[in-house]
Amino acid sequence: AALRELGLREEASREDIRKRFRKLAKEFHPDKYADKSATERKQAEERFKRISNEKRSILWLQANSR
């Protein structure tokens, strides 16, 4: 589920994960939605938090599964 949230496959490398996270973080960063509606800002903030948490989870699992 975590990889799916970032749009990655099971075999994604650490670098793939970081690159994808950076791209999504830029896209959904709350500051980018400052001039949008409250609903859009909230949705972007929630998505940003989800992808941040998923990245941490994936990298932790990779580091601790070796």
Side-chain angles (χ1 to χ4, degrees):
L3 289 168
R4 209 170 340 156
E5 181 73 34
L6 296 178
L8 296 168
R9 295 182 180 187
E10 290 291 324
E11 60 274 356
S13 69
R14 277 181 94 78
E15 189 59 30
D16 292 336
I17 294 164
R18 286 189 172 131
K19 284 180 183 178
R20 184 66 177 154
F21 171 75
R22 282 187 204 113
K23 182 178 189 235
L24 291 172
K26 286 179 185 178
E27 184 177 340
F28 292 103
H29 195 279
D31 289 348
K32 189 173 181 180
Y33 288 78
D35 61 341
K36 304 293 183 187
S37 72
T39 302
E40 288 175 303
R41 284 193 309 269
K42 182 72 172 167
Q43 289 173 341
E45 182 180 324
E46 289 171 3
R47 180 72 197 263
F48 185 80
K49 286 178 185 178
R50 274 197 321 272
I51 62 174
S52 296
N53 290 336
E54 298 301 347
K55 176 193 168 222
R56 279 192 295 272
S57 296
I58 293 166
L59 293 176
W60 185 88
L61 287 171
Q62 282 185 340
N64 291 295
S65 67
R66 296 179 185 184

